[in-house]
Amino acid sequence: MARGSRYQRYEGGDPLAPPVDLAEALDAIGEDVMAGYSPERAMREYLRRGDADRRGLDDLARRIAERRRDLLDRHDLDGTLREVQELLEKAVLAERGQLARDVEMDDGDRALREMQLDNLPPSPAAAVSELSSYEWSSSEARETFEQIKDLLGRELLEQRFAGMKQALEGATEEDRAAIAAMLADLNELLEKHARGEDTPEDFADFMAEHGDFFPEGPRDVDELIDALAQRAAAAQRMMNSMTPEQRAELMELSQQAFGSPALMDQLSRLDGNLQGLRPGEDWAGSEQFGDGEGLGLGDGTGVLQDIAELDALAEQLQQSYNGARLDDVDLDALARQLGDEAAVDARTLAEIERALRSSGYLQRGSDGQLRLSPKAMRQLGRALLRDAAERLSGRQGARELQAGGGSADATGGTREWAFGDAEPWDLPRTVLNAVRREVASGGRAPGARGVRLEIADVEVVESEQRTQAAVALLVDTSFSMAMDGRWVPMKRTALALHQLISTRFRGDRLELIGFGRLAETLAIEELTGLDAIWQKGTNLHHGLLLAQRHFRRHPGMQPVLLVVTDGEPTAHLETSGDVWFEYPPHPVTLARTVSELDGATRMGAQTTFFRLGEDPGLARFLDALAKRAGGRVIAPELDDLGAAVVGSYLGDRASRSPYGGSGSGGAGETFGRWGGGWGRGGWVG
């Protein structure tokens, strides 16, 4: 069968852009989760911030607010009244000039007219009403006054029908009659629809006769009602926004529009029909506008529609309501208000949100709360391990031992056979080497059968000795770690080491142990989501007890002890199970801690302490512990903690022998910030 093609509307953006990459989003979300945010909140925060390639919701919302403020600053809603006032002053000025120039006019008539003009009420509406029966001497004044009525009529219709204001400029009596007929037919159609008596033919007949008044081209009566109701509601909100005096003046002036009270009756009837058919529109709201460029009644309706759309977008971008999703954002409206680029950014964020929810990175637990899934933990671990590897890229020396024997594992590579090698041959490579050699030497002898092997042709399967290790990573979870900004680096370190062991050294066994006032073993998911708790106590004694239990469970493995801490032990576990806490550290606490470290050392544990902070008391204490255990102390910067722990683990795997108490890498040696390679003293591999 021929493969079909599917086409869809182009939605903007770079058509050659790669699919949405969740790696950056997941890294940012994981960072916030490790800082104590829930996954749901962390995802929301990422969507609000955006990333290096796209704007987030906060930036889009800021631009929406700026556009709304710009509209409010540039326009005010008494623009129509101001225009009426200007036309009125122009008409009166022209009339006064004509009265002064007309020498043939009766003086009494002139005085009466001048007195009438002098005593016009200050209200433009009242002045227009009083002058409606005035007999103008000036033709210019009469034409200007007629412009007021024409303006009001066009403004009133512009509220309800887009484009009507310009279309009716200079309208004839026939044009006005056509408008009156359209309004009458429209009201009849809406009233039939409200009763459920209309038919598609009724709508078709109406559009056939009056379709020129609706350039937006509604396809059915519901689309027609939606368009009219939005503009009518916006017009009502505009009226609500005006002062009572402005509103009264405008309503009084409106009565005189086209000089036809029937027009006002039809418009009032239309408003009533629309409110009944679309009660969900905002008919009672209002907007506040500042001083600025005058805005007509009809134009004000259009601006209010913009403001209503901006308000809806602001709520959608805020995502503060229950069940909020970025799919709720009206991308068409966003493109209208901020341009296509903003809509593309919002669409991409929505795709990221959908992908995060559907890709398995987030899953709901039995309590209904979102959590990072094992898949997400692996992705985060890979990213953190890559970061550690980059920092380790300058390290010199062997990473793993190569040795023969049945316990070695294939690396996937091959190498030339050497005397003493016991690895199996790689037969395809060996035969290929023989064929190449024969071809290069001039070909095979006539009649020869098979391939003649020489010892130089032989390649063996490369393998590496992987001594299994029982690794105990003890991380300080006392409150000082969170208070001093070490909480997230500690978690990143644990996650990177967990990823390395679970993917590269699957034969090793890792135990994560957190020690605060008490110590406890933690799954990587528990440690990643662990919140800081205000508890006094650094119970390294209890942590070492749990580490020895882990070593005893794996008696055939090499014990590796890694301790990350920022404070001296201030708590220990009593034989009763109670916790003893005292600060400064009590001699009994120190003695119990040292005793358990001695127990781990007797089990052959390779020990490394990672000292965080500059506490001189902690430095002296850990130096003494490292010297006693034949281990070492590393004092990395926070950014290098993950690389330090991973590098130490790899170094221990390479040597599988305790470190001495002197020389490079011995007890008490500390490392500053490494930069491109290792710091003072080098690195022991």
Side-chain angles (χ1 to χ4, degrees):
M1 295 178 61
R3 297 182 62 183
S5 299
R6 183 166 60 90
Y7 297 89
Q8 64 184 26
R9 182 171 64 89
Y10 175 60
E11 296 180 332
D14 183 0
L16 301 180
V20 173
D21 182 9
L22 295 182
E24 184 175 358
L26 190 61
D27 289 348
I29 291 171
E31 193 82 4
D32 284 343
V33 168
M34 287 187 284
Y37 288 13
S38 69
E40 180 77 30
R41 181 184 174 193
M43 179 177 66
R44 290 294 172 202
E45 288 298 319
Y46 170 76
L47 295 174
R48 302 194 77 83
R49 293 192 305 265
D51 54 37
D53 298 326
R54 64 189 57 84
R55 287 179 286 264
L57 296 179
D58 282 347
D59 185 74
L60 293 174
R62 175 187 58 78
R63 294 176 61 197
I64 287 289
E66 288 176 352
R67 172 157 172 74
R68 187 181 188 279
R69 187 165 55 250
D70 180 63
L71 288 175
L72 297 178
D73 289 342
R74 283 192 293 110
H75 302 297
D76 60 76
L77 288 181
D78 63 351
T80 296
L81 294 177
R82 186 178 303 165
E83 191 170 354
V84 169
Q85 179 69 46
E86 291 173 356
L87 289 172
L88 182 62
E89 291 174 354
K90 180 180 178 182
V92 170
L93 182 61
E95 179 68 6
R96 288 184 184 278
Q98 181 63 31
L99 292 176
R101 290 191 299 270
D102 193 350
V103 295
E104 298 180 0
M105 179 178 291
D106 181 81
D107 290 340
D109 186 30
R110 180 187 294 108
L112 181 62
R113 289 171 181 267
E114 288 178 345
M115 181 177 65
Q116 190 173 358
L117 294 177
D118 291 337
N119 293 313
L120 285 174
S123 165
V128 171
S129 178
E130 186 168 322
L131 291 173
S132 60
S133 58
Y134 180 83
E135 293 184 7
W136 298 92
S137 301
S138 167
S139 58
E140 180 187 355
R142 185 183 304 107
E143 291 174 1
T144 302
F145 189 76
E146 290 298 321
Q147 289 179 27
I148 294 176
K149 292 186 176 182
D150 182 68
L151 167 68
L152 291 172
R154 288 186 289 118
E155 292 279 17
L156 285 171
L157 292 175
E158 180 72 12
Q159 296 177 67
R160 276 76 172 182
F161 309 101
M164 186 72 74
K165 180 178 178 181
Q166 289 75 22
L168 288 179
E169 192 164 5
T172 65
E173 291 299 327
E174 289 77 10
D175 295 328
R176 296 184 176 94
I179 293 171
M182 181 272 292
L183 289 174
D185 291 346
L186 176 59
N187 280 314
E188 289 181 9
L189 176 64
L190 298 185
E191 288 161 4
K192 286 183 68 175
H193 184 74
R195 297 192 301 267
E197 299 174 357
D198 65 317
T199 65
E201 289 74 19
D202 292 331
F203 174 76
D205 292 342
F206 175 82
M207 292 300 295
E209 185 172 355
H210 305 295
D212 293 342
F213 291 103
F214 304 95
E216 56 267 52
R219 292 171 294 183
D220 53 39
V221 68
D222 285 314
E223 287 192 6
L224 175 64
I225 294 171
D226 288 339
L228 293 173
Q230 289 176 5
R231 293 188 67 82
Q236 184 60 51
R237 291 195 301 272
M238 185 205 69
M239 296 292 290
N240 296 342
S241 301
M242 304 178 82
T243 65
E245 294 78 12
Q246 290 174 331
R247 188 160 52 246
E249 289 179 11
L250 192 58
M251 291 304 294
E252 188 175 346
L253 285 170
S254 300
Q255 297 291 336
Q256 303 175 49
F258 288 162
S260 172
L263 175 64
M264 287 300 300
D265 293 341
Q266 290 287 4
L267 291 175
S268 298
R269 180 182 170 193
L270 176 62
D271 284 345
N273 288 330
L274 292 174
Q275 290 191 38
L277 290 167
R278 293 294 184 269
E281 292 288 342
D282 183 8
W283 299 92
S286 62
E287 295 291 344
Q288 294 299 322
F289 285 74
D291 295 333
E293 177 186 335
L295 194 66
L297 182 62
D299 296 331
T301 303
V303 171
L304 282 175
Q305 283 183 303
D306 281 342
I307 290 176
E309 193 167 68
L310 290 168
D311 287 342
L313 285 170
E315 182 179 7
Q316 294 161 12
L317 293 171
Q318 191 176 9
Q319 295 280 287
S320 59
Y321 50 91
N322 292 333
R325 293 289 185 273
L326 283 182
D327 288 332
D328 301 339
V329 177
D330 188 337
L331 298 179
D332 291 334
L334 192 62
R336 282 194 299 272
Q337 298 297 340
L338 299 184
D340 291 337
E341 187 178 348
V344 170
D345 286 337
R347 184 183 301 111
T348 305
L349 291 174
E351 291 173 2
I352 291 174
E353 182 187 40
R354 285 195 300 271
L356 285 170
R357 294 184 182 278
S358 62
S359 62
Y361 286 128
L362 301 176
Q363 63 183 23
R364 293 200 179 275
S366 57
D367 57 357
Q369 298 297 315
L370 278 180
R371 290 188 173 85
L372 293 178
S373 67
K375 179 180 179 181
M377 299 298 294
R378 290 192 296 271
Q379 176 68 28
L380 284 173
R382 283 193 291 268
L384 295 174
L385 192 55
R386 281 196 303 271
D387 179 66
E390 290 174 359
R391 295 176 181 275
L392 286 166
S393 61
R395 182 168 79 93
Q396 303 296 322
R399 175 172 292 188
E400 294 137 2
L401 290 173
Q402 277 193 346
S407 63
D409 296 327
T411 65
T414 63
R415 59 182 173 83
E416 184 179 350
W417 177 87
F419 181 78
D421 281 339
E423 286 85 1
W425 288 13
D426 186 309
L427 292 179
R429 295 282 300 181
T430 299
V431 173
L432 180 61
N433 290 339
V435 172
R436 285 176 172 172
R437 177 180 49 76
E438 288 188 351
V439 171
S441 62
R444 301 165 60 188
R449 301 178 62 184
V451 178
R452 183 179 180 83
L453 297 180
E454 293 184 2
I455 193 64
D457 300 328
V458 178
E459 289 196 26
V460 296
V461 176
E462 187 179 55
S463 62
E464 58 188 4
Q465 184 70 25
R466 293 187 177 181
T467 305
Q468 292 182 325
V471 184
L473 175 61
L474 278 62
V475 291
D476 191 340
T477 57
S478 62
F479 193 77
S480 61
M481 290 283 287
M483 184 172 59
D484 295 331
R486 298 160 185 154
W487 196 252
V488 173
M490 174 269 291
K491 293 182 179 182
R492 290 169 58 91
T493 298
L495 190 52
L497 184 61
H498 178 272
Q499 177 68 17
L500 176 64
I501 292 175
S502 61
T503 58
R504 186 71 176 85
F505 302 104
R506 296 179 181 177
D508 289 0
R509 294 293 178 265
L510 172 65
E511 184 93 311
L512 298 175
I513 301 171
F515 61 96
R517 190 175 184 86
L518 283 169
E520 59 178 332
T521 59
L522 297 167
I524 187 61
E525 295 82 6
E526 294 175 316
L527 180 60
T528 303
L530 185 66
D531 287 336
I533 302 175
W534 176 252
Q535 277 189 337
K536 295 181 178 179
T538 303
N539 199 335
L540 179 58
H541 168 253
H542 192 189
L544 291 170
L545 284 171
L546 296 181
Q548 291 180 74
R549 185 180 68 179
H550 175 58
F551 297 153
R552 285 192 292 270
R553 287 175 177 169
H554 306 283
M557 296 184 179
Q558 170 65 52
V560 176
L561 178 63
L562 307 172
V563 182
V564 178
T565 185
D566 71 343
E568 298 176 75
T570 56
H572 67 268
L573 204 61
E574 296 278 66
T575 54
S576 62
D578 295 332
V579 175
W580 173 294
F581 166 79
E582 185 169 330
Y583 181 84
H586 194 277
V588 173
T589 298
L590 299 179
R592 295 279 181 91
T593 302
V594 170
S595 175
E596 295 308 323
L597 178 64
D598 289 344
T601 303
R602 287 192 295 271
M603 299 175 74
Q606 297 174 337
T607 303
T608 305
F609 294 97
F610 299 89
R611 176 172 60 82
L612 304 180
E614 302 297 332
D615 181 7
L618 175 63
R620 289 191 297 270
F621 178 73
L622 292 184
D623 286 348
L625 289 186
K627 184 175 183 179
R628 187 181 185 94
R632 57 185 169 176
V633 176
I634 298 176
E637 298 287 344
L638 282 180
D639 290 344
D640 294 321
L641 179 59
V645 173
V646 168
S648 174
Y649 165 75
L650 293 174
D652 288 343
R653 283 194 55 81
S655 63
R656 290 295 181 240
S657 61
Y659 291 88
S662 62
S664 180
E669 174 130 27
T670 61
F671 293 80
R673 184 167 185 84
W674 304 327
W678 303 113
R680 177 174 62 85
W683 179 269
V684 176

